[in-house]
Every structure is written in structure tokens, then in C-alpha cells.
């Protein structure tokens, strides 16, 4: 609530300025009420109007990808490979909803391998490998894959890394 004392600029026309600040997280729809009161204490009608405060959303940005460009798996064996990527968002790290990659050439090209910025302390989500992340909340997202040899995994694969924020 902010009270503003106005002076007339012309007959029955009053104007003034109100300044306020909000955080990005507070952007949204509001209702503003205008009312008047004379110096004698008589009150006028109250007018209520909508106010929408938006934010300029920018997509998350990925950088500093650290991933092996090739992995050789010994016959009947397995290899551990870590993938890390830095993610940032103009609305802050808390606005990033997920960072992931897809194996474009894999058996299920729509499956998301979730990278996490959890410091390696959180249990992985269902059907996901551990993160292998070393520092929680620093904007570096990681995943630690164990790739076991089998006829179905042999071959060349391309990976597509993506991030999305709360707006999508």
C-alpha cells in the first residue's frame, strides 16, 4: 500500500508518479486500487484496474561442454564417462528446470539423460545414472555414465545437449 498526495494540474484532473521495485520471481498479474479523499475526510469511489508485470524471458545458455569425443569399450567390458556442461539463465540458476542430452542415433532418441547440479549428493531420478557432479549450485551440470559392451550399444552416436527454464 502506498499513499500519494496529488495536486490538481487542471480542474478535477490529478496526476502523480508511483515507483516500486519487484524481483523477477514476483512478476505476474496484480490489481491496483485507486481511491480519493478530500482534505475534509470525504471519500470518493474506489476504482480497481489490472496490472500485468512481465519479465523478458531468455532461454538458458549452455557453454563449456566437457565430454569425450570417442569412447572405446573393451569387448565384454565397460567404461565410465562423465559429461559436464555449464548452464546459465538471465533469470538466475533457479529458473533452469532441466539440463539434458539425447542420443540422436540411439535406440530411443527421445530419452533424456538428465544432467544435474547437485554436488553428487542426491539420489538419481528413476532410470537415470548418478550425476558425478562435484559442486552443487554452481551452474555446472554433470552426468556419469557407465557404458557396458553389448551388440546393441556398439556404433557411433551423436548427442544433442539442451536446457529449458520455467517458461519452457
Amino acid at each position: 500500500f502506498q499513499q500519494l498526495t496529488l495536486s490538481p494540474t487542471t480542474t478535477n484532473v490529478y496526476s502523480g508518479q508511483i515507483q516500486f521495485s519487484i524481483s523477477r520471481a514476483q512478476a505476474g498479474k496484480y490489481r491496483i486500487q485507486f481511491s480519493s479523499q478530500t482534505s475534509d475526510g470525504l471519500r470518493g469511489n474506489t476504482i480497481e484496474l489490472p496490472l500485468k508485470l512481465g519479465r523478458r524471458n531468455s532461454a538458458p545458455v549452455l557453454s563449456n561442454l566437457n565430454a569425450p569425443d570417442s569412447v572405446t569399450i573393451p569387448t565384454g567390458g565397460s567404461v565410465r564417462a562423465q559429461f559436464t556442461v555449464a548452464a546459465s539463465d538471465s533469470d538466475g540458476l533457479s529458473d533452469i528446470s532441466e539440463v539434458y542430452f539425447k542420443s540422436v542415433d540411439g535406440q530411443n532418441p527421445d530419452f533424456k539423460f538428465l544432467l544435474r547440479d547437485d554436488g553428487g549428493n542426491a539420489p538419481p531420478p528413476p532410470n537415470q545414472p548418478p550425476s558425478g557432479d562435484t559442486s552443487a549450485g554452481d551452474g555446472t551440470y554433470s552426468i556419469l555414465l557407465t557404458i557396458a559392451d553389448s551388440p546393441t550399444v556398439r556404433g557411433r552416436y551423436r548427442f544433442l545437449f539442451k536446457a529449458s527454464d520455467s517458461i519452457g
Side-chain angles (χ1 to χ4, degrees), residues 33-153:
Q33 291 183 343
F34 297 92
S35 61
S36 62
Q37 182 177 336
T38 67
S39 58
D40 296 334
L42 298 173
R43 294 189 175 270
N45 294 340
T46 298
I47 299 171
E48 188 172 289
L49 297 172
L51 174 67
K52 182 178 179 184
L53 298 174
R55 64 180 184 184
R56 291 185 184 171
N57 182 53
S58 298
V61 175
L62 296 177
S63 61
N64 300 328
L65 174 63
N66 186 358
D69 60 0
S70 65
V71 175
T72 302
I73 305 169
T75 303
S78 65
V79 172
R80 292 185 80 154
Q82 184 167 14
F83 299 79
T84 63
V85 66
S88 60
D89 191 293
S90 63
D91 295 317
L93 288 177
S94 62
D95 194 45
I96 297 174
S97 58
E98 63 182 2
V99 175
Y100 61 92
F101 76 86
K102 293 180 177 183
S103 177
V104 179
D105 307 308
Q107 292 176 341
N108 184 358
D110 293 325
F111 182 80
K112 294 179 181 180
F113 291 88
L114 299 176
L115 285 80
R116 295 187 314 281
D117 186 13
D118 62 2
N121 297 321
N127 301 319
Q128 291 288 325
S131 72
D133 190 53
T134 57
S135 181
D138 65 353
T140 299
Y141 292 75
S142 304
I143 189 170
L144 185 58
L145 296 178
T146 300
I147 307 166
D149 178 42
S150 80
T152 59
V153 299

